[in-house]
Amino acid sequence: MLSRPLFRFVRDGQRIAFMRGRHMGLVVSAVLSAASLLLFFQPGLKLGLDFRGGIVVEAQTAAPANINQLRSALDRAGIHPDAVQSFGSDRDVRISVSAPEGADREARTQQIVDRVKNTLAKAAPGTQIQRADAVGASVSHELFRNGLLALGLSLGMILVYIWVRFEREFAISAVLTLVLDLTKTIGFLAITRFEFDLVMVAALLTILGYSTNDKVVVYDRIRENLRKYRTMPLREVLDLSINETLNRTLGTSMTVFLAALPLALFGGSTLTGFATVMLFGIVVGTSSSIFIAAPLLLLLGKKRLRPSGE
């Protein structure tokens, strides 16, 4: 006989009336998503090198870096960087420079990278170059368009998958919930000013996949209970299904959250933003599986899934 788990988030037989707060959940979610869309336009996302084009040089100085001194040295060399900032330790420096325009921009880009390296070597002897990347404007625009296309295609494929596996109401509810999750995450990016680059597109796609899996589990239980309890009102079926899957939903989310947490704390400049956005997406995706996906299904499917009433 299988032993009982040592820890459960809610006790067996718990019956929380989630649908009582469905209107509040939908309103709060809609307000947060609308605010996130406003933040998307103003102040907007902080585009990374992949999407804005430009040059990024990361270096490690022999002693704690004097940011003002380095900026002054670069200005005197005629480089005029967009940003000179510390990251990680006090010896790590990231320098961002706008991409040059013109027919010979590739040669000029390499010249700028070489000048940055030489200037750092003179201003802070012993400096080691860790990374030097350059992306042209035309390439960055194409990458941005492809990133948005990837997100759109993902939502479309999720819609088709859930429509085929379940029914129309389930598919529409799931995609609407995922769009709300996505907009909130974009608002989070606008507030935190993490750079939005291809790594963040990967984070958004990962969040969509995780959140979809979470909702499919809940929807599977709803479909089973609709067949099992043919006379039970739809609202009660939804409450019952969420309660029955609540331990699984919270347990899976906590496991993924704890796995991503060390990356957010100790992952360095490359992984910290990705992992932090993942943590936010896990929280949003889990809460939407409980408070948003089911209320939307009740709103869209009460006439067809349970014609006798809620």
Side-chain angles (χ1 to χ4, degrees):
M1 180 181 293
L2 294 176
S3 61
R4 292 176 58 82
L6 296 177
F7 174 77
R8 298 181 70 84
F9 290 92
V10 295
R11 66 177 185 270
D12 293 335
Q14 181 71 45
R15 291 295 176 262
I16 303 173
F18 291 104
M19 292 301 103
R20 285 185 180 177
R22 64 188 184 279
H23 298 301
M24 180 62 69
L26 292 175
V27 169
V28 170
S29 179
V31 169
L32 291 177
S33 292
S36 297
L37 289 176
L38 293 177
L39 290 172
F40 174 77
F41 292 104
Q42 184 62 38
L45 299 175
K46 181 182 179 182
L47 297 181
L49 175 69
D50 297 331
F51 294 151
R52 75 172 186 272
I55 301 164
V56 170
V57 177
E58 293 182 356
Q60 188 174 77
T61 57
N66 187 324
I67 299 300
N68 293 330
Q69 178 184 345
L70 294 178
R71 179 184 289 277
S72 298
L74 292 167
D75 285 333
R76 288 195 299 271
I79 297 172
H80 307 301
D82 295 332
V84 180
Q85 58 192 132
S86 296
F87 72 97
S89 71
D90 56 3
R91 296 169 53 207
D92 295 318
V93 180
R94 180 187 290 117
I95 300 166
S96 302
V97 184
S98 298
E101 301 292 340
D104 59 342
R105 56 179 175 269
E106 292 186 5
R108 292 171 60 196
T109 295
Q110 187 58 50
Q111 291 176 2
I112 292 175
V113 172
D114 293 337
R115 286 167 62 192
V116 170
K117 291 180 179 179
N118 294 333
T119 302
L120 290 177
K122 294 177 182 178
T127 297
Q128 296 181 345
I129 303 300
Q130 305 292 329
R131 169 192 172 205
D133 291 332
V135 177
S138 59
V139 175
S140 65
H141 292 159
E142 181 179 354
L143 290 174
F144 186 73
R145 183 179 65 250
N146 290 343
L148 295 180
L149 180 61
L151 292 174
L153 287 175
S154 296
L155 288 172
M157 295 304 294
I158 290 169
L159 175 66
V160 172
Y161 166 72
I162 298 181
W163 198 315
V164 171
R165 178 167 177 177
F166 296 96
E167 297 180 51
R168 179 184 60 200
E169 290 78 12
F170 287 89
I172 296 174
S173 301
V175 170
L176 287 176
T177 306
L178 292 174
V179 169
L180 293 173
D181 293 349
L182 191 61
T183 53
K184 294 185 189 73
T185 307
I186 290 175
F188 178 75
L189 282 169
I191 291 174
T192 57
R193 308 309 293 166
F194 285 122
E195 288 191 349
F196 183 69
D197 52 16
L198 289 176
V199 173
M200 287 305 174
V201 173
L204 293 177
L205 290 172
T206 305
I207 291 169
L208 285 178
Y210 170 81
S211 189
T212 300
N213 179 71
D214 213 28
K215 288 158 183 58
V216 165
V217 171
V218 177
Y219 281 173
D220 253 335
R221 185 58 58 88
I222 292 173
R223 182 172 59 177
E224 292 174 4
N225 286 334
L226 282 172
R227 296 170 178 170
K228 185 177 180 180
Y229 305 102
R230 296 185 178 276
T231 60
M232 181 182 290
L234 180 58
R235 185 170 65 178
E236 295 181 17
V237 171
L238 296 179
D239 276 336
L240 175 63
S241 302
I242 295 174
N243 278 283
E244 289 179 345
T245 57
L246 191 57
N247 273 305
R248 183 269 177 201
T249 298
L250 296 178
T252 303
S253 300
M254 183 59 67
T255 301
V256 179
F257 188 93
L258 293 176
L261 185 59
L263 293 179
L265 297 176
F266 311 112
S269 61
T270 304
L271 294 176
T272 296
F274 172 86
T276 303
V277 173
M278 278 292 300
L279 294 177
F280 179 83
I282 291 167
V283 174
V284 169
T286 302
S287 60
S288 68
S289 297
I290 298 171
F291 298 106
I292 307 301
L296 281 175
L297 183 61
L298 176 62
L299 182 66
L300 297 175
K302 60 183 178 181
K303 293 183 179 179
R304 185 169 181 269
L305 298 176
R306 192 52 51 92
S308 58
E310 288 192 7

